[in-house]
């Protein structure tokens, strides 16, 4: 049992909801390219099934709290042995409930659409039999921490009367199966429609929709034909869904809309890149008078690389692409399409009235390109980053350049090059071996191939393979020139580490090299761009304080839960602001946030701005509390006291940011 988790989730969610609501209405006058001209619908599959067990009371409640006001709750209707209609995702009960524990060894085998299928079927149990069967999380990659909360299986009537949703959508997936077991889905759906308002009824079976079309009021209940895979066969017509899609006039005779997998509209290649979209599907359906709903939206699976692991970006491709908009989206994470539709669609450059934290890149747009390359930097600028960062390394011949690591093995193919013999062990820098920047000249470093970082590869989540070796490294001088040419940047952040070792053991002064490069670039006299110098070493910052007037940022490497007054006063002697880890604000246990520390208000009370790192779009980088949505995470940090975020992909949608200034 994990009841206390709901309290923390709710507390964090309220931050995001406030931020989302603050933008509500900003796009209300925009003309949507939907069939009606209204905003697309958000349809919550089983409620908020991306976090809580789908179709549970908690999932439905959270969906209503976290979504747009007109959210539609989706219910997959199954029939029990005594004809009760329950909201449950499948004919089989064993994948989303604990029925195997309640009725051990009671599994059966039936034909489902001609396929032999084994398990615990709804048709073998009365609704009273299921009184002690509880809903669990059916997607095993999601948290199971809520499975012990004894969420009962709900009927359609329960969902309609207990939650009073703005819209209710019933999906009938297997009418033929229930008919084979002497149960009438048609009679049940028509009966329940007389008791509660049902706004949408969908099915992938033509015969079922044809059988009820004359018995429902089209002004109240819309019938929607659900498409399965294009090569799959629709059971009543014996045609493939792909061929039926070519006959929209026929579909219009029994349905007012279609529900299609998202890949029908934006096909994806085998290596997870978008193919050119096929807007004719949506436009042709609209021309035929059919609404178009897109399905299969989830936050916690690898998306097409074009979206940079940002689920909001994916939704915008479907609702705000300039050519068309679908009429609704079916999602396990309804907060994300709600934000996409109500906050980000039609936004353009109009961000007035929105809270905007200062965004600092982490190695440029390193979520999309190799870190600290020209392409990573130019794309970070194009994405809208505020401050561009350069962690300075130094070559054997004293040239300062931008690189994410002093160890070239971390960011290049040097280990596979002719320089592999330069491998050495330097305990002062790291445990284990490395090939270090000060062992190669700048000309030699320029010849190396950069490689993209993959910090979440242990989860088989990789970054853009087509650009994994793209770009070239820049000297600090070239980096500064690039920054000066940008009209959108507000500043640069220069990172300096290992200065003591480099000076004492390699006779290379990285601090002097940085100061000299900034002076030659005119940063001593210009005021257009702020300069921030960042280091984990106080002596480095003291040296810059003695010789320059730049802003000094102290990077606190360890997680902290408190900030003593004496420690803060010591920091203020050599730094103007600090960078802390995300866990120093929202500590976690087992990927759940356990509370909020006082670190930020304590530092800010002492007039120390706070930056927080590191933000990435990959869903495994976020606590469960943030719903596998980087926008929710950013909102939770930037709402209230936090002012700045540090990100690795630093686009306008905040892909992989370094630190949020709080």
């Amino acid at each position: 049992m994990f009841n206390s988790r709901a309290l923390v989730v709710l507390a964090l969610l309220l931050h995001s909801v406030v931020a989302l609501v603050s933008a509500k209405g900003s796009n209300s006058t925009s003309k949507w390219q939907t069939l009606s001209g209204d905003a697309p619908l958000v349809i919550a599959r089983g409620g908020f099934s991306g976090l809580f067990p789908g179709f549970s009371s908690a999932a439905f409640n959270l969906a209503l709290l976290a979504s747009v006001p007109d959210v539609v709750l989706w219910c997959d209707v199954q029939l029990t042995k005594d004809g009760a209609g329950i909201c449950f995702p499948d004919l089989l009960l064993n994948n989303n409930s604990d029925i195997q524990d309640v009725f051990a060894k009671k599994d059966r085998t039936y034909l489902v659409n001609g396929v032999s299928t084994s398990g615990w079927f709804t048709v073998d149990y009365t609704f009273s039999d299921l009184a002690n069967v509880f809903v669990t999380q059916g997607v095993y990659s999601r948290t199971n921490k809520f499975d012990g909360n004894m969420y009962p299986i709900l009927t359609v009537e329960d969902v309609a009367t207990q939650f009073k949703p703005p819209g209710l959508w019933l999906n009938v997936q297997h009418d033929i199966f229930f008919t084979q077991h002497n149960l009438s889905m048609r009679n049940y759906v028509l009966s329940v429609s007389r008791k509660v308002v049902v706004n949408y009824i969908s099915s992938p079976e033509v015969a079922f929709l044809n059988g009820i079309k004359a018995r429902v009021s089209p002004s109240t209940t819309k019938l929607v034909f659900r498409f399965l895979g294009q090569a799959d066969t629709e059971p009543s017509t014996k045609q493939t869904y792909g061929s039926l899609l070519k006959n929209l006039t026929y579909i219009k005779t029994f349905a007012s809309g279609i529900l299609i997998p998202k890949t029908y509209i934006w096909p994806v290649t085998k290596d997870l890149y978008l193919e050119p979209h096929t807007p004719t599907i949506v436009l042709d359906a609209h021309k035929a008078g059919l609404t178009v709903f897109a399905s299969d939206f989830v936050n916690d699976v690898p998306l097409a690389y074009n979206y940079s692991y940002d689920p909001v970006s994916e939704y915008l491709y479907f609702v705000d692409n300039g050519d068309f908009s679908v009429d609704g989206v079916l999602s396990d994470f309804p907060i994300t399409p709600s934000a996409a539709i109500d906050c980000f669609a039609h936004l353009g450059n109009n961000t007035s009235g929105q809270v905007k934290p200062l965004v600092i890149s982490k190695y440029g747009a390193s979520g999309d390109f190799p870190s600290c390359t020209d392409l990573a930097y130019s794309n970070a600028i194009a994405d809208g980053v505020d401050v561009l960062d350069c962690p300075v390394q130094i070559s054997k011949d004293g040239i300062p350049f931008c690189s994410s690591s002093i160890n070239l093995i971390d960011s290049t193919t040097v280990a596979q090059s002719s320089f592999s013999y330069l491998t050495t062990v330097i305990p002062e820098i790291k445990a284990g071996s490395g090939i270090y920047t000060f062992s190669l000249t700048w000309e030699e470093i320029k010849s190396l191939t950069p490689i993209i970082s993959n910090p979440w590869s242990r989860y088989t989540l990789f970054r853009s393979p087509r650009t994994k070796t793209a770009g070239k490294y820049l000297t600090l001088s070239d980096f500064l020139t690039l920054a000066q040419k940008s009209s959108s940047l507000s500043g640069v952040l220069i990172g300096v580490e290992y200065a003591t070792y480099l000076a004492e053991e390699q006779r290379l002064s990285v601090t002097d090299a940085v100061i000299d490069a900034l002076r030659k670039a005119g940063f001593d006299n210009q005021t257009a761009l702020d300069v921030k110098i960042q280091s984990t070493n106080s002596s480095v910052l003291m040296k810059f304080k003695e010789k320059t007037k730049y802003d000094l940022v102290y990077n606190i490497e360890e997680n902290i839960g408190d900030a003593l007054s004496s420690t803060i006063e010591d920091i203020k002697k050599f730094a103007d602001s600090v960078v802390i880890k995300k866990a120093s604000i929202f500590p976690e246990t087992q990927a759940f946030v356990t509370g909020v520390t006082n670190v930020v208000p304590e530092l800010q009370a002492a007039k120390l701005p706070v930056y927080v790192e590191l933000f990435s779009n990959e869903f495994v980088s976020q606590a469960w509390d943030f719903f596998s949505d980087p926008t929710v995470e950013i909102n939770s940090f930037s709402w209230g006291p936090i002012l700045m975020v540090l990100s690795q992909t630093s686009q306008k949608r905040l892909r992989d940011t370094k630190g949020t200034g709080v």
Side-chain angles (χ1 to χ4, degrees):
M1 227 172 137
F2 216 59
N3 291 322
S4 62
R5 291 298 326 125
L7 298 177
V8 178
V9 170
L10 179 59
L12 290 178
L13 173 65
L14 290 177
H15 288 275
S16 297
V17 171
V18 168
L20 182 146
V21 171
S22 68
K24 285 187 187 297
S26 60
N27 299 324
S28 60
T29 59
S30 299
K31 177 65 176 177
W32 291 91
Q33 293 177 292
T34 56
L35 181 62
S36 67
D38 296 329
L41 287 176
V42 173
I43 308 154
R45 192 190 72 86
F48 209 124
S49 55
L51 180 66
F52 288 109
F55 304 84
S56 67
S57 56
F60 286 125
N61 270 321
L62 185 56
L64 294 172
L65 173 66
S67 308
V68 287
D70 60 349
V71 64
V72 176
L73 297 187
W74 166 286
C75 167
D76 284 295
V77 185
Q78 317 299 338
L79 294 180
T80 61
K81 187 176 183 179
D82 54 344
I86 61 173
C87 287
F88 202 81
D90 193 54
L91 291 166
L92 293 171
L93 291 161
N94 42 289
N95 192 48
N96 294 84
S97 77
D98 62 356
I99 194 167
Q100 291 164 285
D101 300 326
V102 180
F103 296 101
K105 299 181 180 179
K106 297 285 184 157
D107 52 312
R108 303 283 296 274
T109 300
Y110 296 118
L111 289 178
V112 180
N113 290 337
V115 178
S116 180
T117 306
S118 299
W120 283 254
F121 288 81
T122 65
V123 295
D124 291 324
Y125 303 92
T126 66
F127 185 63
S128 61
D129 291 336
L130 302 178
N132 294 316
V133 176
F134 301 112
V135 180
T136 60
Q137 178 57 259
V139 179
Y140 298 149
S141 59
R142 294 171 180 169
T143 180
N144 63 356
K145 296 298 183 182
F146 302 102
D147 285 358
N149 284 335
M150 301 175 68
Y151 298 122
I153 293 174
L154 301 172
T155 65
V156 173
E157 293 89 338
D158 290 334
V159 174
T161 58
Q162 291 181 24
F163 307 108
K164 297 178 174 57
L168 180 61
W169 186 309
L170 304 185
N171 180 63
V172 177
Q173 198 73 5
H174 296 288
D175 173 59
I176 292 175
F177 175 83
F178 289 112
T179 300
Q180 292 168 345
H181 289 264
N182 299 315
L183 292 167
S184 175
M185 182 64 77
R186 175 183 179 275
N187 289 347
Y188 172 77
V189 167
L190 293 176
S191 174
V192 79
S193 297
R194 290 191 289 267
K195 299 175 185 176
V196 300
V197 176
V198 177
N199 304 92
Y200 296 88
I201 299 173
S202 62
S203 177
E205 298 181 8
V206 171
F208 174 75
L209 294 175
N210 263 321
I212 66 171
K213 67 179 182 181
R215 300 292 302 277
V216 298
S217 170
S219 62
T220 303
T221 305
K222 309 298 183 186
L223 300 185
V224 178
F225 181 53
R226 185 178 191 181
F227 282 77
L228 304 182
Q230 295 203 38
D232 293 336
T233 300
E234 192 282 318
S236 51
T237 64
K238 307 304 181 185
Q239 297 184 52
T240 65
Y241 289 97
S243 63
L244 285 170
L245 189 62
K246 299 174 183 177
N247 195 351
L248 296 174
T249 303
Y250 169 63
I251 293 172
K252 180 63 176 173
T253 64
F254 59 84
S256 64
I258 58 175
L259 173 65
I260 56 179
K262 63 184 182 182
T263 53
Y264 272 44
I265 300 171
W266 284 98
V268 178
T269 63
K270 290 182 179 179
D271 61 345
L272 280 183
Y273 286 90
L274 294 179
E275 295 179 359
H277 68 74
T278 52
T280 55
I281 292 178
V282 179
L283 297 177
D284 289 350
H286 283 173
K287 190 174 181 179
L290 291 165
T291 52
V292 181
F293 303 95
S295 65
D296 302 338
F297 288 94
V298 293
N299 292 1
D300 54 352
V301 298
L303 306 176
Y305 289 113
N306 308 69
Y307 306 133
S308 300
Y309 287 97
D310 177 9
V312 168
S313 179
E314 180 183 35
Y315 286 107
L316 292 176
Y317 270 64
F318 288 83
V319 303
D320 187 23
N321 57 50
D323 293 328
F324 64 88
S325 172
V326 297
D327 299 277
V329 291
L330 177 62
S331 175
D332 288 15
F333 297 82
I335 192 173
T336 306
S338 294
I341 293 166
D342 221 30
C343 297
F344 294 103
H346 306 152
L347 190 61
N349 295 320
N350 179 23
T351 58
S352 61
Q354 292 196 338
V355 176
K356 187 180 185 299
L358 183 71
V359 180
I360 307 172
S361 68
K362 185 73 167 182
Y363 315 144
S366 58
D368 295 322
F369 297 91
S371 302
C372 301
T373 57
D374 57 338
L375 292 178
Y377 286 132
S378 60
N379 277 271
I381 294 172
D383 286 340
V385 73
D386 298 306
V387 177
L388 203 63
D389 76 304
C390 170
V392 174
Q393 314 301 338
I394 198 161
S395 65
K396 183 178 181 179
D397 49 346
I399 304 298
F401 66 99
C402 303
S403 178
S404 59
S405 176
I406 194 171
N407 181 6
L408 291 167
I409 292 177
D410 295 337
S411 57
T412 73
T413 57
V414 67
Q416 291 77 48
S417 74
S418 59
F419 302 111
S420 59
Y421 72 94
L422 293 173
T423 301
T424 186
V425 176
I426 303 177
E428 297 94 325
I429 296 179
K430 63 166 287 185
S433 61
I435 300 175
Y436 295 97
T437 61
F438 48 78
S439 299
L440 283 76
T441 66
W442 171 238
E443 288 299 317
E444 291 170 334
I445 290 170
K446 281 201 302 182
S447 70
L448 300 175
T449 300
I451 53 175
I452 201 167
S453 64
N454 284 297
W456 306 106
S457 58
R458 64 186 180 276
Y459 297 101
T460 65
L461 294 178
F462 299 94
R463 292 176 172 174
S464 180
R466 292 186 183 177
T467 58
K468 65 182 180 180
T469 59
K472 61 181 181 180
Y473 289 117
L474 299 178
T475 64
L476 177 57
S477 176
D478 291 336
F479 168 84
L480 295 173
T481 299
L482 175 66
Q484 287 173 318
K485 289 181 179 179
S486 168
S487 60
S488 60
L489 290 176
S490 64
V492 294
L493 183 143
I494 309 298
V496 178
E497 302 295 344
Y498 306 111
T500 300
Y501 171 83
L502 291 169
E504 295 178 353
E505 302 297 331
Q506 302 297 328
R507 299 294 185 266
L508 293 168
S509 177
V510 64
T511 53
D512 287 345
V514 168
I515 292 171
D516 185 57
L518 287 167
R519 179 185 57 79
K520 289 180 178 178
F523 279 83
D524 281 354
N525 301 316
Q526 65 88 42
T527 58
L529 292 175
D530 294 329
V531 177
K532 302 179 189 298
I533 306 295
Q534 176 181 295
S535 182
T536 59
N537 192 315
S538 60
S539 63
V540 169
L541 297 178
M542 286 296 294
K543 183 170 182 179
F544 277 95
K545 185 172 184 177
E546 293 168 0
K547 296 188 175 184
T548 72
K549 294 182 180 180
Y550 304 132
D551 290 335
L552 305 177
V553 184
Y554 182 46
N555 188 345
I556 301 175
E557 293 183 283
E558 66 274 12
N559 292 331
I560 57 175
D562 196 8
L564 299 176
S565 298
S566 57
T567 302
I568 294 174
E569 290 306 312
D570 287 340
I571 292 173
K572 292 179 69 174
K573 294 175 183 177
F574 57 82
D576 304 301
S577 57
V578 297
V579 175
I580 60 177
K581 300 294 187 287
K582 292 190 298 185
S584 294
I585 300 173
F586 291 126
E588 298 179 17
T589 298
Q590 297 181 339
F592 279 101
V593 171
T594 57
V596 184
T597 70
N598 290 320
V599 169
V600 172
E602 288 169 347
L603 291 167
Q604 289 182 332
K607 308 301 182 185
L608 276 176
V610 183
Y611 305 85
V612 59
E613 67 175 6
L614 174 67
F615 293 87
S616 301
N617 280 5
E618 289 92 342
F619 55 90
V620 294
S621 72
Q622 300 136 22
W624 294 112
D625 306 69
F626 303 126
F627 313 130
S628 304
D629 184 338
T631 300
V632 173
E633 183 182 37
I634 290 288
N635 281 345
S636 300
F637 278 86
S638 61
W639 187 87
I642 299 180
L643 308 175
M644 295 164 247
V645 295
L646 302 159
S647 169
Q648 287 180 315
T649 52
S650 71
Q651 81 173 145
K652 294 174 185 176
R653 295 272 337 103
L654 297 183
R655 303 188 316 260
D656 220 41
T657 318
K658 173 189 178 182
T660 257
V662 295

